Amino acid sequence: RLDIVRYLANVSEATCGELDGGRPKSSMSHHFRVLRDAGLVHTRNVGTTHMNSLRRDELESRFPGLLASVLSQH
């Protein structure tokens, strides 16, 4: 999940396929649900494609500096 958040931190949006890293679709669906439920990721549907984006502004507003701190960890 951290890899997904890191990837999304560097792009405006990404499809599920761009983020799967070779993992099974069922695993990715679970990871995205957890990230959405946690309020980290927003998913919008464009036809049959799911576009994912990091909720950076909301996170920064609610938890100033947390995302930058998490992303700076190796």
Side-chain angles (χ1 to χ4, degrees):
R1 292 180 199 139
L2 183 55
D3 288 341
I4 293 170
V5 171
R6 283 187 175 138
Y7 187 94
L8 289 174
N10 294 308
V11 298
S12 60
E13 285 186 309
T15 65
C16 292
E18 292 175 87
L19 298 164
D20 70 8
R23 295 177 202 93
K25 186 175 180 177
S26 60
S27 294
M28 292 308 295
S29 294
H30 171 73
H31 292 310
F32 282 114
R33 182 171 39 87
V34 170
L35 291 169
R36 278 192 306 273
D37 289 350
L40 298 171
V41 172
H42 171 72
T43 302
R44 69 182 181 95
N45 298 325
V46 180
T48 59
T49 303
H50 297 254
M51 298 301 296
N52 303 282
S53 59
L54 190 59
R55 297 180 66 193
R56 184 182 298 274
D57 293 340
E58 293 94 334
L59 289 167
E60 188 61 30
S61 174
R62 180 117 190 234
F63 306 105
L66 178 63
L67 184 60
S69 178
V70 168
L71 293 174
S72 69
Q73 301 300 307
H74 297 284

